[in-house]
Amino acid sequence: MFRFLPEQASTFAADVDWIHNWITDISVFFTVAIFGAAILFAIIWRRREGKDHATPQILGDHKLEAIWTIVPTLICVFVAVKGLVSYQDMRTPPANTLDISVTAEQFNWSFEYPNGKKTTNDITVPVGHPVKFIMRSKDVIHSFFIPAMRVKKDVLPSMFTTLWFEPIKTGSYQGFCTEYCGAGHSAMLFKVNVVSDAEYDRWLTDDSTEFMKSKMNAEDLGRALYEQKTCNTCHSIDGSMRIGPSFAKLWNKKEKLVDGTEVLVDENYIESSIVNPNAQVVAGYAPIMPSFEGQLSVDEIKALIAFIKGLEKTEVAPVAAVQAVAVAPVDRSKLKPEERGKILSQEKLCISCHSIDGSKVIGPSFKGIYGRKGKLVGGADYEVTDEYIKESILNPMAKVVDGYAPAMPPYAGQLSDDDINDIIAYLKTVK
Ligand code: CUA
């Protein structure tokens, strides 16, 4: 009765399921027996024909008491012993395990094999071989769970935890993070591919992607990384303005920094901008780039440098409209508030994160924003009013719209009240 457990794919599964089903059956049996008796007795000894019956006085029955003490005790001891034996089994890996190192971080799983092969959100293991996972988290507590193998273990930032199983069936099985770890928790999934020995050996020694990487020249690898590591979200390669400086013609350029000093864009500046991006921020940009420390090898950094160097030759697209407006000398006092607001929205780069055509960039689009209603991160309602816009500019983290990251820098001190009113006037016109 009540057999809803997933496929049995490891040597533990039969054992775990047996005791699980046994407990379920016993519970169902006693539930039915107790409630059945209660209902039956209520019917048999109900009040009939308006006559009251005296309740008989029943004194203790030692035999009965002994039975209802001893039987449940035996059942509990049996469950405890059986469970303990299974648990002991799960805690004691055999000596010949295949050891895979697991690193959990918000929100993915990376795996490393003994020969150095690395994968993300995907493990391949040979059928019939015990596999051991040595796990560690980079940030918060995650939990490694493969239902088909009947194994689950927390993955901690402070210490290593391990887990093992022996797959008995080839196939692809779903793995989960089963400890709530943040917004991407539900997407923190991985696949376990159980394959034959021969297939596993082929897979393990197949280094075609690594091989391809090693065959690429540095510039091509840099271009691939530019997309893979999503540098392209913020840095264009055609001279157009995004959240960070364009890579076009960046090499060997003298950049003015926010603190007024100048820096030459050379190998060291590029490396330090990747590893420690907010140390030397170019004037006109916000210090919002995340550090890529530890995510790129020296070779990969060299490749990105080669890629940026290569862009020295590219034709830079005609200067983006954004910049043109920003530098145009206009007597702003003669403009209407919404016109001044529009110029400010371009100068302050609001529009690198907020589109005006309804498309989703990093922040909500400005199109039709005034009066918009919806939910904030955390579930509260919001409506875009003058006050909401003002607060979002000065203290953007206070009310982040659901579905967006809290990525906007605060503009307190950078815009006057008049500036903000101009921007509000402009936003009312973006429809
Ligand atoms: Cu990681 Cu939930």
Side-chain angles (χ1 to χ4, degrees), residues 142 177 179-181 185 188:
H142 303 271
C177 175
E179 174 76 46
Y180 182 70
C181 54
H185 161 71
M188 201 172 155

Side-chain angles (χ1 to χ4, degrees), residues 225-236 247 304:
L225 288 167
Y226 168 74
E227 280 161 23
Q228 256 174 38
K229 299 285 172 187
T230 60
C231 314
N232 55 0
T233 321
C234 299
H235 301 281
S236 78
F247 285 170
L304 279 168

Side-chain angles (χ1 to χ4, degrees), residues 107-168:
F107 297 98
N108 64 56
W109 300 94
S110 20
F111 303 99
E112 187 171 346
Y113 285 75
N115 75 346
K117 180 155 184 156
K118 293 189 182 81
T119 62
T120 307
N121 297 335
D122 201 75
I123 7 177
T124 298
V125 293
V127 69
H129 278 279
V131 200
K132 186 164 100 180
F133 296 88
I134 297 110
M135 309 186 290
R136 186 75 175 239
S137 166
K138 268 194 185 170
D139 35 49
V140 299
I141 301 177
H142 303 271
S143 192
F144 185 87
F145 181 35
I146 313 170
M149 305 299 170
R150 307 292 191 275
V151 289
K152 172 155 93 172
K153 190 94 172 202
D154 278 7
V155 183
L156 309 176
S158 54
M159 62 180 280
F160 291 99
T161 50
T162 62
L163 164 156
W164 82 280
F165 63 83
E166 182 181 324
I168 52 171

Side-chain angles (χ1 to χ4, degrees), residues 245-304:
S246 175
F247 285 170
K249 294 215 187 286
L250 181 64
W251 182 254
N252 237 335
K253 193 171 154 189
K254 282 225 165 74
E255 288 276 40
K256 241 194 154 44
L257 302 181
V258 279
D259 63 5
T261 58
E262 266 193 357
V263 67
L264 179 72
V265 178
D266 59 3
E267 287 88 350
N268 283 321
Y269 179 68
I270 294 176
E271 174 170 20
S272 86
S273 297
I274 293 170
V275 176
N276 189 8
N278 299 329
Q280 292 174 294
V281 176
V282 174
Y285 295 91
I288 54 171
M289 172 167 160
S291 166
F292 283 77
E293 191 169 3
Q295 295 189 43
L296 292 158
S297 67
V298 174
D299 281 342
E300 288 173 327
I301 290 177
K302 280 188 192 160
L304 279 168

Side-chain angles (χ1 to χ4, degrees), residues 301-375:
I301 290 177
K302 280 188 192 160
L304 279 168
I305 292 170
F307 171 59
I308 291 171
K309 250 187 202 172
L311 294 172
E312 206 188 0
K313 295 163 285 204
T314 42
E315 270 312 303
V316 172
V319 182
V322 182
Q323 263 173 318
V325 175
V327 293
V330 194
D331 181 0
R332 300 215 184 151
S333 58
K334 294 212 177 71
L335 295 175
K336 287 191 231 149
E338 60 265 31
E339 289 167 343
R340 283 197 300 266
K342 182 175 185 182
I343 295 176
L344 281 168
S345 77
Q346 295 167 338
E347 260 181 8
K348 295 292 173 188
L349 301 173
C350 313
I351 55 171
S352 16
C353 295
H354 302 277
S355 79
I356 51 168
D357 62 1
S359 59
K360 180 171 174 176
V361 194
I362 294 177
S365 177
F366 282 165
K367 188 177 181 189
I369 193 167
Y370 197 83
R372 186 186 293 157
K373 290 180 188 160
K375 291 258 183 253

